Amino acid sequence: MNSLSRRTASLWAAAGLLSAVAGMAAPAAAAAAAAAATAANYPERPVTLVVTYPPGGTVDVVARLIGPRLSAELGQPVVIENRGGAGGMIGGAQVAKAQPDGYTLMLDASNHAQNPAIHARMQFDTLKAFAPVSLLLRVPNVLVVAPSSPIKSVQDLIQAGRSEGGGHLYFASAGPGSAQHLAGELFNLLARTQLHHVAYKGGGPAMMDVMSGQVPLMFASMGSAWQHVKTGKLRAVAVGGLERSKAAPELPTIAESGVPGYETYEWNAIFAPAGTPPAIVNRLSTVLAKVLREPAIVERLAGIGAEPIGSTPAELETFRRAEIAKWQKVVKDSRLKLD
């Protein structure tokens, strides 16, 4: 073959390669265009918000507070579906299997990050199954006791919790591995106390027994405990946030009261099934941030001690990874085994 023929063959080969590349790129470009068009028209039908806790609790209250405003901003109904049980894992399993089209979302809480630390066997991989949308808010935990309790301060609790193996001093929680349980274990680790855990079937029964003095104390969510503090059925000793709560600025933090580094919040966030188009995720995040800035929403959330956030998807991803790592260390250091 002469040099002219070789050059001609090379040109034809290059043309064939370019054609093949173009052939492969065309479907990808078409898919991207279709996804962009879908996101631009989203939503075109009702959106289901799966709440991973039963009706009546703080998470459900938040869902029913923001749901109507989210619906108004999106121009479509937002249908709230409670799928409680197993610390949020029943609802999580449902959403993990849903189509990643933006029409099924999940409102989850702190157990989203705590379950992977506690349970060796789960129906889904938390980090792989869900796309972060927005960290909505956080509610500091509050250390509460019965009004007649001799525990007046965090230092009182530390002293009692260190004497004779904790002096058989117990703290209540909504169940094994619950946010309240882990908050108590974190206190034991940082304060070097030996408080003993009493698990209940739900936060309501646990709190009732603290009110009556059957169990001395509880590291409760401010969202559920504060109404009882205001009516005098419980006494608040300190809050679990690193900073004092705007809802009760007179209360010291546990950290400033002699337990440096103590920080526990119950938080709510919205996730979508993994693979949901980023344009849809970003739109939802933007809309939620707008809703959470509305004065009426801010006021209602303040009533349960909640601090609105409205994060970006990237900020929520960073946050949940840090939370998972934090609680994995607590579980390991406490030698907790639930499975």
Side-chain angles (χ1 to χ4, degrees):
M1 181 180 294
N2 58 35
S3 59
L4 179 60
S5 298
R6 285 196 295 272
R7 285 197 299 273
T8 301
S10 297
L11 288 171
W12 279 110
L17 177 60
L18 289 172
S19 178
V21 170
M24 289 186 291
T38 299
N41 296 326
Y42 171 85
E44 298 179 295
R45 62 179 191 271
V47 175
T48 297
L49 179 60
V50 176
V51 180
T52 59
Y53 289 83
T58 304
V59 185
D60 181 62
V61 169
V62 170
R64 297 181 190 281
L65 177 60
I66 67 169
R69 295 300 306 128
L70 181 59
S71 174
E73 291 292 332
L74 294 177
Q76 290 287 346
V78 173
V79 180
I80 296 173
E81 181 180 328
N82 293 90
R83 293 286 292 169
M89 290 192 289
I90 291 177
Q94 176 182 328
V95 176
K97 298 173 185 176
Q99 288 295 317
D101 54 11
Y103 289 97
T104 302
L105 305 174
M106 176 176 72
L107 176 52
D108 209 357
S110 312
N111 280 122
H112 180 88
Q114 293 167 340
N115 285 332
I118 300 166
H119 301 286
R121 296 181 295 275
M122 292 177 61
Q123 297 182 48
F124 50 82
D125 183 318
T126 299
L127 290 174
K128 293 180 179 179
F130 307 107
V133 176
S134 178
L135 177 60
L136 301 179
L137 55 89
R138 63 182 186 179
V139 184
N141 278 7
V142 57
L143 170 59
V144 291
V145 298
S148 59
S149 171
I151 298 171
K152 307 294 184 182
S153 67
V154 172
Q155 285 301 315
D156 287 344
L157 178 58
I158 292 174
Q159 184 175 354
R162 288 178 180 173
S163 63
E164 297 181 5
H168 299 294
L169 193 60
Y170 296 89
F171 71 95
S173 87
S178 63
Q180 302 90 4
H181 178 192
L182 293 185
E185 296 297 345
L186 177 63
F187 186 90
N188 273 336
L189 288 172
L190 296 181
R192 302 189 306 279
T193 52
Q194 296 183 48
L195 309 180
H196 303 286
H197 175 230
V198 181
Y200 286 78
K201 293 183 178 179
M207 204 167 297
M208 289 295 293
D209 270 9
V210 176
M211 290 182 207
S212 67
Q214 294 295 314
V215 181
L217 61 107
M218 183 175 182
F219 296 89
S221 167
M222 183 174 276
S224 56
W226 204 241
Q227 58 181 323
H228 302 302
V229 172
K230 290 193 290 187
T231 58
K233 295 178 181 178
L234 287 171
R235 178 160 48 80
V237 176
V239 294
L242 281 182
E243 299 177 351
R244 294 193 179 199
S245 170
K246 293 179 181 178
E250 73 282 1
L251 279 181
T253 67
I254 292 175
E256 75 180 77
S257 301
V259 190
Y262 187 91
E263 181 182 18
T264 57
Y265 296 91
E266 292 197 19
W267 48 266
N268 293 174
I270 286 185
F271 298 88
T276 300
I280 290 178
V281 169
N282 289 331
R283 184 179 179 208
L284 286 166
S285 178
T286 300
V287 168
L288 286 164
K290 179 182 177 182
V291 167
L292 289 166
R293 289 193 298 268
E294 294 179 3
I297 298 293
V298 173
E299 183 179 357
R300 288 285 302 279
L301 291 176
I304 59 172
E307 305 165 11
I309 297 174
S311 78
T312 65
E315 288 168 342
L316 175 52
E317 178 67 8
T318 299
F319 174 79
R320 71 167 175 169
R321 286 180 179 273
E323 282 283 283
I324 289 173
K326 169 184 176 176
W327 294 114
Q328 283 175 333
K329 185 176 188 308
V330 170
V331 169
K332 179 181 177 181
D333 292 350
S334 299
R335 299 181 182 179
L336 291 179
K337 291 184 180 180
L338 300 182
D339 287 341

